[in-house]
Amino acid sequence: KERSSVTLEDICGLDPGLSYEGLNHTLAIICLSQVVMLGFENKETMYAWDVRIRYSLGEGNLCLLILSFFDRKKSKKALTKM
């Protein structure tokens, strides 16, 4: 196992599940000045670390929000056809 110590500052977020250099289960810790990739043997361990880190960062009570943008004119036409 490879071990190293890195100080992370200005963390913007986490991105689990990226494929990187042959690793299928990685967790990216995205900071303003760097991105740190952590590799795991299976997705269960990766997601467990994702949850642990998010909780430590104070994201324990956040939920996923997906925003989508639409054209009002097209949406109005689609609603009148219903």
Side-chain angles (χ1 to χ4, degrees), residues 6-12 29-36:
V6 177
T7 300
L8 301 175
E9 295 179 335
D10 302 320
I11 297 174
C12 299
I29 303 174
I30 304 164
C31 304
L32 288 177
S33 62
Q34 65 184 337
V35 174
V36 176

Side-chain angles (χ1 to χ4, degrees), residues 42-61:
N42 57 58
K43 66 180 176 181
E44 290 79 18
T45 304
M46 177 195 64
Y47 284 122
W49 273 95
D50 180 41
V51 169
R52 183 182 299 175
I53 293 170
R54 287 179 190 275
Y55 184 79
S56 295
L57 294 173
E59 294 185 19
N61 296 321

